[in-house]
Amino acid sequence: MSLAGRLRAGLRKTAERLAARLAAVTRAGRGGDGSGEDARATLAALEEVLIEADVGVAEAERIVARVRETREPAADPVEAVKREMLAALDRPPVPPAPAATPRVVLVVGVNGTGKTTTVGKLAHRWRLAGERPLICAADTFRAAAVPQLDAWAVRARVDVVKGGARADPAAVVFDALQAGRARGCSPVVVDTAGRLHTRGDLMAELGKIRRVAGRAVPGAPHDVLLVLDATVGRNGLVQARRFLETAGVTGIVLTKLDGTAKGGVAVAVAAELDLPIRFVGVGEGVDDLLPFSAADYVDALFAPGDLGDGRS
């Protein structure tokens, strides 16, 4: 199945819910007399649909306001909404990876978002792209973290550098970067301990990891990916803002999209955090982490059950 087809499959719950609500809106619109009042009612209903999909009140209002300003009277309001959602999600292209050896990618987030799973899937993706990734097990606090990462490393067919129980995470990162340089591995993908945004001591630890990485490899970390759980919806934005302040986040990984009917949260994430969504998780398989495409994402939200034969 193509990437676009897999994204549509992952977003099916959201798309089916949106389709039912949009059908009701368009039926109501066709039943009117075509007056300006009918158009206003249709757009108000569309705003409610966006809010239900977890786009967020402020962003839904902004999108609908833009549609009111720019839509031609005969134009399809749903197509106009799609256009504005695409504009909200669109971000400048990600700059090329730095030439540093090794490239250092820090993966951060709270417990339960799928952070360790994401590390394994990223390593798999980059290995298939011809790189030589190395995983760093810098989560030394959660008992199951290292065995879980070992299992993912086997699936991804990459090596892991790890320390002992309760080892200093920054020291583990330093050792991993030294190993990466010696073995000619890049990128080094660092799995950090999940932490609550309210725990100042744990957030400060991220700062220490960044400083140690920067001393070991100039400019490191070169990428800091924040993993957010789509099933949590907009509640995850509160956590995200603190990570932005502390960890120097450069991009978002939005996981578990296949498990929610509120996939519109991606629009809220991009708009409110002003960061690119780099990858989305749509399943448990090693290949189920997809590079984010704003155009494919918006199409998938409005394509319920239209999976075709996987070639589209």
Side-chain angles (χ1 to χ4, degrees):
M1 186 180 290
S2 68
L3 292 181
R6 289 164 63 195
L7 184 59
R8 287 199 299 274
L11 283 168
R12 180 180 292 184
K13 289 183 179 179
T14 302
E16 288 179 345
R17 184 168 178 174
L18 269 176
R21 294 286 286 113
L22 288 171
V25 168
T26 53
R27 279 197 304 270
R30 286 195 297 269
D33 59 9
S35 67
E37 189 63 34
D38 288 333
R40 283 190 291 273
T42 297
L43 287 173
L46 283 172
E47 185 176 316
E48 292 180 12
V49 171
L50 294 179
I51 292 170
E52 288 179 14
D54 229 16
V55 167
V57 174
E59 191 59 18
E61 289 177 347
R62 190 200 66 78
I63 288 171
V64 170
R66 280 285 301 157
V67 171
R68 287 195 182 101
E69 292 171 6
T70 61
R71 184 176 71 93
E72 296 293 330
D76 181 354
V78 174
E79 288 301 317
V81 166
K82 288 173 65 176
R83 184 182 64 247
E84 292 302 327
M85 289 180 73
L86 179 58
L89 285 166
D90 206 17
R91 290 291 182 278
V94 177
T101 303
R103 185 169 94 253
V104 182
V105 180
L106 204 62
V107 182
V108 303
V110 302
N111 281 328
T113 58
K115 181 172 49 58
T116 298
T117 296
T118 296
V119 169
K121 291 178 180 179
L122 284 170
H124 171 73
R125 169 168 287 279
W126 285 325
R127 182 185 64 80
L128 291 182
E131 299 189 79
R132 295 189 61 194
L134 178 69
I135 291 175
C136 171
D139 182 352
T140 62
F141 294 99
R142 185 167 64 92
V146 173
Q148 182 185 1
L149 202 56
D150 277 336
W152 272 104
V154 170
R155 295 178 74 181
R157 296 169 58 189
V158 300
D159 291 334
V160 182
V161 172
K162 51 197 172 186
R166 299 289 174 174
D168 179 2
V172 179
V173 170
F174 182 83
D175 289 345
L177 299 188
Q178 296 294 97
R181 182 180 286 114
R183 301 177 196 179
C185 292
S186 182
V188 175
V189 192
V190 181
D191 182 29
T192 63
R195 58 205 74 224
L196 293 173
H197 62 289
T198 53
R199 286 287 302 272
D201 55 336
L202 292 178
M203 296 302 286
E205 183 185 86
L206 280 179
K208 180 180 178 182
I209 289 173
R210 287 174 55 83
R211 291 192 298 274
V212 168
R215 288 197 291 269
V217 179
H222 307 102
D223 228 352
V224 181
L225 299 178
L226 173 62
V227 181
L228 296 177
D229 180 349
T231 65
V232 174
R234 289 175 47 77
N235 291 333
L237 293 175
V238 177
Q239 304 164 354
R241 291 190 186 95
R242 182 65 192 279
F243 279 96
L244 264 60
E245 296 167 3
T246 306
V249 176
T250 57
I252 302 294
V253 179
L254 194 59
T255 62
K256 308 181 188 179
L257 277 171
D258 55 314
T260 181
K262 295 192 172 185
V265 69
V267 180
V269 167
E272 295 193 28
L273 301 182
D274 195 25
L275 282 170
I277 298 173
R278 300 276 292 280
F279 298 94
V280 290
V282 295
E284 294 298 319
V286 70
D287 293 311
D288 288 334
L289 186 72
L290 309 180
F292 182 75
S293 160
D296 287 346
Y297 189 88
V298 172
D299 284 345
L301 284 178
F302 292 87
D306 180 23
L307 302 181
D309 61 5
R311 291 192 297 267
S312 60

mmCIF file of all heavy atoms in Angstrom, residues 122-148:
data_model
loop_
_atom_site.group_PDB
_atom_site.id
_atom_site.type_symbol
_atom_site.label_atom_id
_atom_site.label_comp_id
_atom_site.label_asym_id
_atom_site.label_seq_id
_atom_site.Cartn_x
_atom_site.Cartn_y
_atom_site.Cartn_z
ATOM 1 N N LEU A 122 12.038 4.889 13.847
ATOM 2 C CA LEU A 122 12.912 5.842 13.162
ATOM 3 C C LEU A 122 14.200 5.162 12.714
ATOM 4 O O LEU A 122 14.663 5.367 11.578
ATOM 5 C CB LEU A 122 13.240 7.013 14.100
ATOM 6 C CG LEU A 122 12.150 8.046 14.325
ATOM 7 C CD1 LEU A 122 12.553 8.989 15.453
ATOM 8 C CD2 LEU A 122 11.867 8.842 13.056
ATOM 9 N N ALA A 123 14.787 4.359 13.611
ATOM 10 C CA ALA A 123 16.022 3.668 13.256
ATOM 11 C C ALA A 123 15.788 2.742 12.066
ATOM 12 O O ALA A 123 16.618 2.665 11.144
ATOM 13 C CB ALA A 123 16.532 2.883 14.460
ATOM 14 N N HIS A 124 14.673 2.039 12.075
ATOM 15 C CA HIS A 124 14.329 1.160 10.948
ATOM 16 C C HIS A 124 14.207 1.948 9.649
ATOM 17 O O HIS A 124 14.761 1.561 8.604
ATOM 18 C CB HIS A 124 13.011 0.451 11.265
ATOM 19 C CG HIS A 124 12.438 -0.323 10.116
ATOM 20 N ND1 HIS A 124 12.970 -1.517 9.674
ATOM 21 C CD2 HIS A 124 11.371 -0.066 9.309
ATOM 22 C CE1 HIS A 124 12.260 -1.966 8.658
ATOM 23 N NE2 HIS A 124 11.290 -1.110 8.407
ATOM 24 N N ARG A 125 13.496 3.068 9.702
ATOM 25 C CA ARG A 125 13.286 3.888 8.503
ATOM 26 C C ARG A 125 14.620 4.390 7.963
ATOM 27 O O ARG A 125 14.869 4.353 6.748
ATOM 28 C CB ARG A 125 12.351 5.055 8.847
ATOM 29 C CG ARG A 125 12.259 6.113 7.777
ATOM 30 C CD ARG A 125 11.130 7.081 8.025
ATOM 31 N NE ARG A 125 9.865 6.432 7.750
ATOM 32 C CZ ARG A 125 9.366 6.278 6.527
ATOM 33 N NH1 ARG A 125 10.013 6.718 5.467
ATOM 34 N NH2 ARG A 125 8.218 5.674 6.353
ATOM 35 N N TRP A 126 15.477 4.877 8.832
ATOM 36 C CA TRP A 126 16.747 5.430 8.379
ATOM 37 C C TRP A 126 17.699 4.333 7.876
ATOM 38 O O TRP A 126 18.485 4.568 6.964
ATOM 39 C CB TRP A 126 17.373 6.275 9.485
ATOM 40 C CG TRP A 126 16.667 7.598 9.621
ATOM 41 C CD1 TRP A 126 16.121 8.327 8.604
ATOM 42 C CD2 TRP A 126 16.414 8.327 10.817
ATOM 43 N NE1 TRP A 126 15.549 9.483 9.096
ATOM 44 C CE2 TRP A 126 15.711 9.511 10.453
ATOM 45 C CE3 TRP A 126 16.701 8.123 12.167
ATOM 46 C CZ2 TRP A 126 15.311 10.466 11.379
ATOM 47 C CZ3 TRP A 126 16.303 9.064 13.099
ATOM 48 C CH2 TRP A 126 15.617 10.231 12.707
ATOM 49 N N ARG A 127 17.626 3.142 8.479
ATOM 50 C CA ARG A 127 18.456 2.049 7.962
ATOM 51 C C ARG A 127 18.023 1.682 6.543
ATOM 52 O O ARG A 127 18.862 1.485 5.652
ATOM 53 C CB ARG A 127 18.364 0.823 8.875
ATOM 54 C CG ARG A 127 19.259 -0.330 8.404
ATOM 55 C CD ARG A 127 19.063 -1.577 9.241
ATOM 56 N NE ARG A 127 17.715 -2.115 9.118
ATOM 57 C CZ ARG A 127 17.293 -2.852 8.100
ATOM 58 N NH1 ARG A 127 18.093 -3.133 7.081
ATOM 59 N NH2 ARG A 127 16.055 -3.322 8.079
ATOM 60 N N LEU A 128 16.720 1.611 6.308
ATOM 61 C CA LEU A 128 16.225 1.302 4.975
ATOM 62 C C LEU A 128 16.611 2.380 3.962
ATOM 63 O O LEU A 128 16.719 2.104 2.765
ATOM 64 C CB LEU A 128 14.705 1.134 4.990
ATOM 65 C CG LEU A 128 14.155 -0.103 5.713
ATOM 66 C CD1 LEU A 128 12.638 -0.149 5.586
ATOM 67 C CD2 LEU A 128 14.774 -1.380 5.177
ATOM 68 N N ALA A 129 16.810 3.608 4.450
ATOM 69 C CA ALA A 129 17.202 4.708 3.565
ATOM 70 C C ALA A 129 18.702 4.702 3.277
ATOM 71 O O ALA A 129 19.196 5.596 2.575
ATOM 72 C CB ALA A 129 16.792 6.046 4.184
ATOM 73 N N GLY A 130 19.429 3.717 3.820
ATOM 74 C CA GLY A 130 20.844 3.597 3.514
ATOM 75 C C GLY A 130 21.778 4.151 4.569
ATOM 76 O O GLY A 130 23.001 4.149 4.382
ATOM 77 N N GLU A 131 21.230 4.624 5.691
ATOM 78 C CA GLU A 131 22.073 5.135 6.767
ATOM 79 C C GLU A 131 22.442 4.006 7.731
ATOM 80 O O GLU A 131 21.935 2.876 7.620
ATOM 81 C CB GLU A 131 21.353 6.277 7.490
ATOM 82 C CG GLU A 131 21.039 7.456 6.576
ATOM 83 C CD GLU A 131 20.526 8.662 7.332
ATOM 84 O OE1 GLU A 131 21.363 9.376 7.910
ATOM 85 O OE2 GLU A 131 19.299 8.884 7.343
ATOM 86 N N ARG A 132 23.292 4.320 8.702
ATOM 87 C CA ARG A 132 23.726 3.331 9.701
ATOM 88 C C ARG A 132 23.368 3.843 11.089
ATOM 89 O O ARG A 132 24.228 4.301 11.834
ATOM 90 C CB ARG A 132 25.219 3.081 9.601
ATOM 91 C CG ARG A 132 25.675 2.440 8.305
ATOM 92 C CD ARG A 132 27.135 2.033 8.399
ATOM 93 N NE ARG A 132 27.352 1.064 9.461
ATOM 94 C CZ ARG A 132 28.559 0.740 9.941
ATOM 95 N NH1 ARG A 132 29.654 1.326 9.454
ATOM 96 N NH2 ARG A 132 28.685 -0.151 10.909
ATOM 97 N N PRO A 133 22.088 3.791 11.455
ATOM 98 C CA PRO A 133 21.681 4.331 12.750
ATOM 99 C C PRO A 133 22.174 3.485 13.915
ATOM 100 O O PRO A 133 22.398 2.280 13.789
ATOM 101 C CB PRO A 133 20.153 4.328 12.667
ATOM 102 C CG PRO A 133 19.809 3.333 11.633
ATOM 103 C CD PRO A 133 20.949 3.295 10.674
ATOM 104 N N LEU A 134 22.324 4.151 15.043
ATOM 105 C CA LEU A 134 22.666 3.520 16.312
ATOM 106 C C LEU A 134 21.694 4.053 17.353
ATOM 107 O O LEU A 134 21.440 5.265 17.411
ATOM 108 C CB LEU A 134 24.107 3.866 16.701
ATOM 109 C CG LEU A 134 24.620 3.322 18.041
ATOM 110 C CD1 LEU A 134 24.773 1.802 17.974
ATOM 111 C CD2 LEU A 134 25.951 3.982 18.407
ATOM 112 N N ILE A 135 21.138 3.170 18.169
ATOM 113 C CA ILE A 135 20.185 3.586 19.199
ATOM 114 C C ILE A 135 20.917 3.759 20.519
ATOM 115 O O ILE A 135 21.756 2.935 20.901
ATOM 116 C CB ILE A 135 19.046 2.556 19.347
ATOM 117 C CG1 ILE A 135 18.147 2.574 18.112
ATOM 118 C CG2 ILE A 135 18.221 2.831 20.601
ATOM 119 C CD1 ILE A 135 17.060 1.510 18.129
ATOM 120 N N CYS A 136 20.577 4.817 21.226
ATOM 121 C CA CYS A 136 21.115 5.068 22.567
ATOM 122 C C CYS A 136 19.988 4.925 23.584
ATOM 123 O O CYS A 136 18.991 5.643 23.519
ATOM 124 C CB CYS A 136 21.715 6.471 22.646
ATOM 125 S SG CYS A 136 22.163 6.979 24.327
ATOM 126 N N ALA A 137 20.152 4.016 24.544
ATOM 127 C CA ALA A 137 19.135 3.766 25.570
ATOM 128 C C ALA A 137 19.411 4.657 26.783
ATOM 129 O O ALA A 137 19.982 4.217 27.784
ATOM 130 C CB ALA A 137 19.136 2.297 25.969
ATOM 131 N N ALA A 138 18.996 5.921 26.692
ATOM 132 C CA ALA A 138 19.260 6.872 27.760
ATOM 133 C C ALA A 138 18.125 6.953 28.783
ATOM 134 O O ALA A 138 18.165 7.789 29.673
ATOM 135 C CB ALA A 138 19.527 8.260 27.180
ATOM 136 N N ASP A 139 17.098 6.094 28.622
ATOM 137 C CA ASP A 139 16.060 5.992 29.650
ATOM 138 C C ASP A 139 16.525 4.930 30.640
ATOM 139 O O ASP A 139 16.308 3.732 30.447
ATOM 140 C CB ASP A 139 14.725 5.586 29.014
ATOM 141 C CG ASP A 139 13.598 5.521 30.034
ATOM 142 O OD1 ASP A 139 13.883 5.641 31.254
ATOM 143 O OD2 ASP A 139 12.444 5.329 29.632
ATOM 144 N N THR A 140 17.181 5.371 31.712
ATOM 145 C CA THR A 140 17.742 4.446 32.700
ATOM 146 C C THR A 140 16.868 4.319 33.940
ATOM 147 O O THR A 140 17.275 3.689 34.917
ATOM 148 C CB THR A 140 19.158 4.899 33.113
ATOM 149 O OG1 THR A 140 19.073 6.199 33.715
ATOM 150 C CG2 THR A 140 20.086 4.960 31.913
ATOM 151 N N PHE A 141 15.671 4.927 33.890
ATOM 152 C CA PHE A 141 14.809 4.931 35.071
ATOM 153 C C PHE A 141 13.652 3.934 34.958
ATOM 154 O O PHE A 141 13.307 3.270 35.925
ATOM 155 C CB PHE A 141 14.268 6.341 35.310
ATOM 156 C CG PHE A 141 15.338 7.317 35.688
ATOM 157 C CD1 PHE A 141 15.880 8.173 34.738
ATOM 158 C CD2 PHE A 141 15.843 7.361 36.983
ATOM 159 C CE1 PHE A 141 16.885 9.055 35.071
ATOM 160 C CE2 PHE A 141 16.848 8.242 37.324
ATOM 161 C CZ PHE A 141 17.372 9.095 36.370
ATOM 162 N N ARG A 142 13.046 3.844 33.776
ATOM 163 C CA ARG A 142 11.926 2.918 33.615
ATOM 164 C C ARG A 142 12.471 1.511 33.419
ATOM 165 O O ARG A 142 13.234 1.250 32.490
ATOM 166 C CB ARG A 142 11.068 3.335 32.419
ATOM 167 C CG ARG A 142 9.813 2.501 32.225
ATOM 168 C CD ARG A 142 8.873 3.155 31.227
ATOM 169 N NE ARG A 142 9.426 3.237 29.886
ATOM 170 C CZ ARG A 142 9.243 2.315 28.940
ATOM 171 N NH1 ARG A 142 8.521 1.232 29.205
ATOM 172 N NH2 ARG A 142 9.768 2.482 27.746
ATOM 173 N N ALA A 143 12.057 0.589 34.281
ATOM 174 C CA ALA A 143 12.639 -0.754 34.301
ATOM 175 C C ALA A 143 12.511 -1.468 32.963
ATOM 176 O O ALA A 143 13.420 -2.180 32.538
ATOM 177 C CB ALA A 143 11.984 -1.588 35.407
ATOM 178 N N ALA A 144 11.382 -1.272 32.295
ATOM 179 C CA ALA A 144 11.138 -2.012 31.052
ATOM 180 C C ALA A 144 11.703 -1.320 29.823
ATOM 181 O O ALA A 144 11.611 -1.867 28.712
ATOM 182 C CB ALA A 144 9.632 -2.224 30.866
ATOM 183 N N ALA A 145 12.291 -0.135 29.993
ATOM 184 C CA ALA A 145 12.687 0.660 28.828
ATOM 185 C C ALA A 145 13.756 -0.030 27.988
ATOM 186 O O ALA A 145 13.649 -0.118 26.761
ATOM 187 C CB ALA A 145 13.163 2.033 29.271
ATOM 188 N N VAL A 146 14.818 -0.521 28.636
ATOM 189 C CA VAL A 146 15.925 -1.111 27.876
ATOM 190 C C VAL A 146 15.517 -2.416 27.200
ATOM 191 O O VAL A 146 15.789 -2.602 26.005
ATOM 192 C CB VAL A 146 17.166 -1.301 28.764
ATOM 193 C CG1 VAL A 146 18.253 -2.081 28.018
ATOM 194 C CG2 VAL A 146 17.707 0.058 29.207
ATOM 195 N N PRO A 147 14.822 -3.352 27.890
ATOM 196 C CA PRO A 147 14.358 -4.545 27.165
ATOM 197 C C PRO A 147 13.426 -4.215 25.994
ATOM 198 O O PRO A 147 13.504 -4.858 24.933
ATOM 199 C CB PRO A 147 13.613 -5.344 28.249
ATOM 200 C CG PRO A 147 14.232 -4.902 29.528
ATOM 201 C CD PRO A 147 14.572 -3.459 29.339
ATOM 202 N N GLN A 148 12.563 -3.213 26.184
ATOM 203 C CA GLN A 148 11.672 -2.818 25.085
ATOM 204 C C GLN A 148 12.484 -2.284 23.910
ATOM 205 O O GLN A 148 12.220 -2.615 22.744
ATOM 206 C CB GLN A 148 10.685 -1.758 25.564
ATOM 207 C CG GLN A 148 9.677 -1.332 24.500
ATOM 208 C CD GLN A 148 8.777 -0.188 24.964
ATOM 209 O OE1 GLN A 148 8.908 0.312 26.089
ATOM 210 N NE2 GLN A 148 7.877 0.232 24.098
#
